[in-house]
Amino acid sequence: MSRASRSLRALRCALFVPLLGVASLFLPPVLLSQASAQAERPDLEDAGLATYLGEALTQPRIDGVPRPETVVGFDLGSWHLRPEQIETYFRRLADASPRVALEVTGHTHERRPLLLATITSARNHARLEQIRARQRALTDPELNDPELSSGIDTGDLPAVVYLAYSVHGNEPSGSNAAPIVAWQLASSRDPEVVALLDDVVILLDPVLNPDGLARFAHWANSHRGKVAVADPEHREHREPWPSGRTNHYLFDLNRDWLLARQPESRARLATFHRWRPNLLADFHEMGRRATYFFQPGVPSRTHPLTPRATVALTEEIATYHARALDRLGSLYFTEQIFDDFYYGKGSTYPDLHGAVGVLFEQASARGHRQEAPDGTVISFPFAIRNQVAASFSTLEAARALRPRLLEHQRAFYREALAEARASKLGGYVVGDDGDPARLAELVDLLRLHGVEVRPLTRALETADSTWRPGHAVVVPHAQAQARLVRAIFEERVDCPDETFYDVSAWTLPHSFGLPFAAVDSAPLADLAPGGRETADADQSRRRGSFAASPDALAYAFGWHDLWAPRALRRLLDADVRVRVALEPLDEPLEVSGTGSNDSALDSSVRGPSMLGRGTIVVPLGIQDLERDAIETLLAEVAHADGLDIVGLDSGLARARRGAVGRAGSRRLGLDLGSPSLAPLRRPTPALVVGESSAGTGSFGVSAYETGELWHLLDARYGVAVTLLEADRLARADLSRYSHLIVADGSRRGPSEPAVEAIRRWVRAGGVLIATRDAAAWAERQVLRADEGREANGGVPQEDPEARPRERAPDRLEAAAEPPERRPYGQRDADAARDLVSGALVEVELDLTHPLAFGYHRDRLTVFRRGTRVLPPARDPYSAVAVYTASPLVAGYASSENLGRLAGTPALLADRLGRGTVVRFGDNPAFRGVWHGTEKLVLNALFFGDLVDNTTGRTDD
């Protein structure tokens, strides 16, 4: 393009590209119609504020408020902003403009600050706390009871809008639009902008995911040439594993609004509940084949708990976005692909809080310029421009609909409380399952969401359980967060559709592995009195106990508690010699209550009687460390991890005093020298990461599931984990590692040299842990291939599943029935029925197996995604868990898929040589919140090499 052409094009953009669709603020109607016809996608050379703001640049400005390019050193859109550049600009902006207040709400894992800019008029800033308190009071139905005269007056109350940018780090147009939006709001003296700031308080979060954005910006900028290349094969557009989408631990932060496992999520939730905004705009990007999306989503996939009034407001707000993008000539779509079902996303979480959440998805350049399949070129400035436009159309809608948005929020909470009071459902009781730490974590999460939780004050009998004070809490239904309570606790199977953009179920007590039950409204006042008093998570958290005894020969603690594996890790790290009980150390635990909802355990059955299978024993007579040092460490562990650590005063089970050895005819447990007390070694695990293209095809692992396992071991339990590149498997010294962990990913498996190295390592004593698709190739290439090798004189036999099928796709089996004719338009719905996009299913555990130590109920709810099933068990003792005959607990799965799943293994463990191969059919660490199944992973880590060979073992 010649310099003259570029100049003409830049001038045309400056004249005809209005600000974000609040075009009436900046351009007369006659020019708007011209802009609609003449606006073009700006090229890279056109980057600059004129590209985004057009004639708005001519508005009068507050003196001294810096333009973004003067701070970062380049026109926005010509390079990708790094988080620290955005931070620097917002700090300068807050210093220069009386309309902007900046705060740090938290920090990421990589210690980057999480910023929040509050932008409104100086008049509103002077009364900001009063505005916040009144806005927050709209969500309190007691204060807004229509029978009371003290209802909140919304006449002069501004609407609150939360602008949330780039929760996925490699969807950067949002975060790069944020400084432009902020500068216009912070500096313009135009009367319409001034009026907007009087009517709206804007909470602007410029970078929801700083760690991911930093990763992506570095990649895109590192591969940007002087001449931008639009070829999709250009390296700039081929971001390597794990990509910048996720945060430090590779979590998808957009799925973490409800689960709140990550610091970024907890910080934004604190902001959300401090303000309870009326409208939240969530800015994303999607693939280059699309245009621009904004909600509403697919109508049939709106969650039934979302009021129709919320949908109606979303539809009206959409007209503002449509007008803004029409003026720019940008194409868009609604009511397709994306839905409003899972409440754990930024665009749906607000819908359960009397607000309106709106998702924006912009076709991505994934760099600076990229060619779309239709031959057009998506440029980074073009993507930024659309996000700027949608930001201001959101603000325009909020200002115009302010009275309706405020009244909608008031009505939402009034109606929710009225419905709850009229319901027969009084609430839910949740027990600690003998593990107060898990209940404490759930209570902490509920409180973060503003849910009222009360301590149980008297014993409660339900259909199959007894719940006791001190070991259970009650979550009332009749509270302001009534609809959120329903969403968290319900076990919905009557889903409105068979297709889901995300998961179809997320019942949180199941994810924590806690028993719970619905309670009728009649007895609730007696069960948990105290009005609106909220139970503190600390009320459910045990401090632990330890008392050094001169008579103790050993100390022991049970394996049932949440943090017992962390305590064991601390001991092993300190070189303490530790043993684990393969049989109950003392009289078996008796649990009150029966059935799948066993009650919370009474305090009388805690302590020594918790010493069942998996009990950790520290014999003092075999240690290299001094007794005092060990006892000091045990006292620290007991306090830090909430454990009851008891002393054992005799090596003979029958002779132990007190409750540890009870008189009677039952077996009294193990003597301290029993071979059923197995020594444990300190695990040195390696977690496979990345991708490899060695051999005949590529192999890689899921970044999500790998990150979840990394977070589980490293962040939660403090286990040092080597991140081992997939392409190093054939060359690395695997003997350094006790465990090799491979998450779901490629079904093909590593190259043959890598597989051969893994086989040798397992046979020498290593423990291979594989999940989902990785479990399939572990079965096929490690276990079966090794059997074929032994049966054929050590010569490996070709595995037909180890390479792509070469069979012609249109070849029919001779005896096959012709397929039933179906409408072409029904193909997506038919395909959805063949999927399990995320449901809760039940498995039956073998409580005697080392991988099930710490569980005392043989029924466990797991998270299920996908249709792949593990093969039948190799011997009668291999299946640690199997899916029950009727496995569905909540969510959607077709009857055909449920039939295929029923009775198949969910967790298998087999001996191979001196090592073990562990295969999970599901993801036991799903999104960092599935605490009910995470102990299965920790058992595989600490006890995996204790699995016996049950097929003709010979002793060494």
Side-chain angles (χ1 to χ4, degrees):
M1 182 183 296
S2 69
R3 178 175 298 179
S5 298
R6 288 199 300 270
S7 299
L8 287 173
R9 189 165 187 174
L11 176 62
R12 188 163 59 185
C13 284
L15 290 175
F16 298 115
V17 180
L19 168 64
L20 313 170
V22 195
S24 59
L25 305 184
F26 310 113
L27 291 178
V30 64
L31 287 184
L32 291 180
S33 62
Q34 296 175 8
S36 177
Q38 299 182 50
E40 298 183 14
R41 295 184 175 185
D43 283 337
L44 184 67
E45 294 88 348
D46 296 327
L49 287 182
T51 304
Y52 314 108
L53 300 182
E55 287 192 348
L57 288 174
T58 65
Q59 294 173 357
R61 301 282 163 184
I62 297 176
D63 292 341
V65 178
R67 290 165 55 128
E69 68 270 23
T70 65
V71 175
V72 301
F74 52 84
D75 288 336
L76 299 192
S78 58
W79 294 89
H80 282 255
L81 288 170
R82 303 188 305 274
E84 61 270 23
Q85 293 171 314
I86 296 174
E87 178 190 359
T88 298
Y89 178 68
F90 271 85
R91 291 190 182 280
R92 291 277 301 277
L93 195 67
D95 289 342
S97 175
R99 300 173 180 174
V100 182
L102 189 68
E103 60 183 300
V104 174
T105 61
H107 289 84
T108 70
H109 287 290
E110 296 177 14
R111 304 308 300 162
R112 291 186 173 90
L114 298 165
L115 304 176
L116 181 73
T118 302
I119 306 176
T120 190
S121 66
R123 170 177 171 269
N124 284 341
H125 270 295
R127 59 182 187 127
L128 197 62
E129 184 54 30
Q130 180 191 36
I131 292 172
R132 189 202 65 77
R134 291 173 63 197
Q135 167 68 25
R136 188 66 175 76
L138 283 180
T139 68
D140 188 332
E142 298 287 356
L143 293 178
N144 286 289
D145 191 315
E147 297 180 0
L148 300 178
S149 60
S150 59
I152 301 300
D153 179 13
T154 60
D156 66 341
L157 186 62
V160 179
V161 179
Y162 195 143
L163 300 179
Y165 295 102
S166 299
V167 72
H168 296 140
N170 62 357
E171 299 175 4
S173 58
S175 286
N176 281 260
I180 302 166
V181 175
W183 178 74
Q184 168 66 4
L185 294 172
S187 65
S188 175
R189 292 186 182 274
D190 183 87
E192 292 292 336
V193 175
V194 172
L196 170 71
L197 293 173
D198 272 335
D199 289 340
V200 181
V201 172
I202 301 152
L203 309 175
L204 193 153
D205 193 330
V207 191
L208 290 169
N209 181 6
D211 293 349
L213 183 73
R215 204 155 59 238
F216 179 75
H218 174 76
W219 177 264
N221 289 337
S222 295
H223 297 92
R224 179 201 187 280
K226 183 176 181 180
V227 178
V229 177
D231 181 359
E233 295 299 326
H234 181 49
R235 193 167 191 237
E236 179 184 4
H237 310 305
R238 297 291 176 177
E239 193 184 1
W241 193 101
S243 87
R245 177 182 176 88
T246 51
N247 78 338
H248 174 81
Y249 279 106
L250 312 185
F251 275 62
D252 185 337
L253 295 177
N254 192 44
R255 270 66 176 173
D256 200 41
W257 278 81
L258 189 64
L259 311 180
R261 299 296 87 188
Q262 299 299 299
E264 299 92 338
S265 306
R266 298 182 77 87
R268 69 173 181 255
L269 282 168
T271 296
F272 183 93
H273 286 287
R274 192 169 77 245
W275 277 96
R276 294 274 172 87
N278 304 106
L279 179 56
L280 188 147
D282 190 20
F283 294 91
H284 292 249
E285 292 182 6
M286 55 184 165
R288 63 192 176 94
R289 297 176 181 274
T291 55
Y292 196 88
F293 170 85
F294 51 85
Q295 284 176 316
V298 178
S300 64
R301 304 209 305 259
T302 297
H303 198 287
L305 289 176
T306 300
R308 174 58 200 165
T310 304
V311 178
L313 272 169
T314 307
E315 292 169 346
E316 185 158 354
I317 291 169
T319 64
Y320 290 81
H321 308 317
R323 284 197 296 270
L325 294 171
D326 284 345
R327 290 161 185 157
L328 298 178
S330 293
L331 300 177
Y332 54 84
F333 67 97
T334 66
E335 299 190 4
Q336 289 182 279
I337 301 176
F338 304 97
D339 65 32
D340 299 278
F341 191 81
Y342 172 49
Y343 283 124
K345 298 188 297 181
S347 58
T348 49
Y349 185 79
D351 294 345
L352 274 187
H353 293 84
V356 177
V358 180
L359 170 68
F360 298 97
E361 295 272 359
Q362 162 65 48
S364 180
R366 284 293 189 270
H368 293 89
R369 289 171 61 85
Q370 186 170 190
E371 183 181 321
D374 64 359
T376 59
V377 172
I378 303 168
S379 74
F380 191 35
F382 171 73
I384 295 172
R385 187 190 67 170
N386 283 345
Q387 303 285 39
V388 171
S391 299
F392 278 93
S393 61
T394 296
L395 298 177
E396 182 185 16
R399 183 190 179 199
L401 302 176
R402 181 186 66 85
R404 283 183 57 191
L405 287 168
L406 293 169
E407 187 53 40
H408 170 70
Q409 191 163 57
R410 187 207 308 264
F412 175 92
Y413 281 95
R414 281 180 178 172
E415 293 166 4
L417 182 59
E419 291 169 1
R421 285 174 171 167
S423 170
K424 293 181 180 180
L425 174 66
Y428 299 90
V429 59
V430 189
D432 67 8
D433 197 40
D435 183 4
R438 268 184 291 146
L439 181 58
E441 289 214 354
L442 178 60
V443 170
D444 175 71
L445 179 59
L446 293 174
R447 294 188 66 203
L448 182 65
H449 291 300
V451 172
E452 180 186 347
V453 185
R454 301 177 188 172
L456 185 70
T457 57
R458 68 173 177 82
L460 167 68
E461 298 283 343
T462 58
D464 58 0
S465 301
T466 300
W467 313 81
R468 294 183 171 85
H471 296 282
V473 297
V474 171
V475 181
H477 183 209
Q479 61 170 289
Q481 293 288 63
R483 286 172 174 152
L484 181 61
V485 168
R486 287 270 304 279
I488 286 173
F489 283 89
E490 69 177 5
E491 297 172 302
R492 181 180 294 272
V493 293
D494 56 334
C495 299
D497 204 312
E498 296 174 339
T499 304
F500 302 88
Y501 187 76
D502 199 72
V503 300
S504 64
W506 53 86
T507 312
L508 289 184
H510 282 310
S511 75
F512 283 77
L514 293 172
F516 72 105
V519 182
D520 290 342
S521 56
L524 185 64
D526 293 333
L527 290 172
R532 303 169 71 186
E533 175 186 354
T534 300
D536 195 307
D538 286 341
Q539 292 176 285
S540 304
R541 183 175 290 117
R542 283 185 59 82
R543 299 289 187 258
S545 64
F546 172 78
S549 169
D551 298 325
L553 297 179
Y555 291 100
F557 58 87
W559 193 246
H560 182 65
D561 294 270
L562 176 68
W563 299 118
R566 189 170 66 186
L568 173 59
R569 190 271 303 166
R570 295 181 201 268
L571 295 175
L572 293 174
D573 284 352
D575 294 325
V576 175
R577 299 185 190 275
V578 177
R579 298 195 173 189
V580 61
L582 304 182
E583 298 291 338
L585 185 69
D586 289 291
E587 186 173 338
L589 170 68
E590 294 182 3
V591 181
S592 58
T594 59
S596 60
N597 272 359
D598 289 341
S599 76
L601 300 182
D602 186 88
S603 58
S604 64
V605 298
R606 290 195 58 83
S609 60
M610 295 290 287
L611 305 182
R613 290 184 176 88
T615 293
I616 301 303
V617 180
V618 180
L620 297 175
I622 63 172
Q623 304 294 333
D624 294 331
L625 298 177
E626 294 294 331
R627 181 188 185 105
D628 287 349
I630 293 175
E631 290 178 338
T632 298
L633 178 59
L634 289 173
E636 294 172 355
V637 164
H639 177 76
D641 298 320
L643 302 179
D644 292 329
I645 303 179
V646 299
L648 305 177
D649 62 354
S650 175
L652 184 65
R654 186 173 297 276
R656 291 180 203 138
R657 65 185 182 184
V660 178
R662 299 178 184 178
S665 60
R666 299 192 207 184
R667 176 180 175 180
L668 296 179
L670 300 176
D671 300 330
L672 291 185
S674 168
S676 292
L677 280 171
L680 294 176
R681 58 174 174 165
R682 177 176 174 269
T684 53
L687 178 63
V688 175
V689 300
E691 299 169 325
S692 172
S693 57
T696 59
S698 62
F699 163 71
V701 293
S702 163
Y704 291 154
E705 296 194 18
T706 300
E708 289 156 3
L709 289 166
W710 181 27
H711 180 266
L712 169 65
L713 299 178
D714 177 67
R716 280 181 64 77
Y717 287 91
V719 176
V721 183
T722 295
L723 303 182
L724 182 62
E725 288 286 348
D727 63 4
R728 294 283 304 166
L729 284 170
R731 294 171 287 165
D733 179 9
L734 298 183
S735 67
R736 295 173 57 93
Y737 312 114
S738 61
H739 294 68
L740 190 63
I741 306 170
V742 190
D744 179 54
S746 169
R747 297 182 182 183
R748 179 183 299 277
S751 65
E752 179 56 33
V755 170
E756 179 60 29
I758 293 171
R759 287 194 203 109
R760 289 195 303 267
W761 170 80
V762 172
R763 293 186 65 82
V767 178
L768 174 63
I769 302 172
T771 68
R772 305 206 324 132
D773 280 347
W777 68 254
E779 179 81 25
R780 183 179 66 243
Q781 296 183 332
V782 178
L783 285 171
R784 290 183 184 174
D786 199 88
E787 287 175 347
R789 172 188 300 271
E790 292 175 343
N792 291 276
V795 179
Q797 300 300 297
E798 181 177 355
D799 180 357
E801 293 187 49
R803 60 182 67 249
R805 296 179 184 269
E806 298 177 356
R807 183 169 147 185
D810 57 349
R811 178 178 173 182
L812 300 177
E813 299 288 349
E817 291 288 334
E820 176 187 357
R821 187 167 179 257
R822 299 283 295 164
Y824 178 78
Q826 192 66 23
R827 67 194 186 282
D828 289 341
D830 289 346
R833 280 190 287 272
D834 292 334
L835 302 175
V836 180
S837 59
L840 311 189
V841 297
E842 185 182 60
V843 301
E844 180 182 358
L845 287 174
D846 173 6
L847 298 180
T848 70
H849 198 286
L851 267 59
F853 285 176
Y855 293 90
H856 64 79
R857 290 183 286 133
D858 65 359
R859 294 293 190 276
L860 183 65
T861 301
V862 304
F863 184 86
R864 177 71 184 176
R865 171 173 276 174
T867 57
R868 178 178 284 271
V869 296
L870 295 177
R874 291 156 49 86
D875 71 73
Y877 310 100
S878 293
V880 183
V882 296
Y883 300 102
T884 58
S886 299
L888 185 64
V889 173
Y892 172 77
S894 69
S895 57
E896 293 80 6
N897 277 325
L898 291 173
R900 286 193 289 267
L901 189 65
T904 64
L907 173 57
L908 291 167
D910 284 283
R911 199 75 172 172
L912 179 61
R914 292 165 52 198
T916 312
V917 181
V918 179
R919 289 95 72 212
F920 285 89
D922 301 302
N923 176 8
F926 181 69
R927 291 184 179 168
V929 77
W930 223 257
H931 303 322
T933 54
E934 68 182 27
K935 186 160 285 185
L936 297 173
V937 180
L938 296 159
N939 287 348
L941 183 73
F942 290 109
F943 308 146
D945 58 354
L946 301 180
V947 176
D948 274 341
N949 185 338
T950 58
T951 55
R953 180 188 66 182
T954 57
D955 295 327
D956 292 335

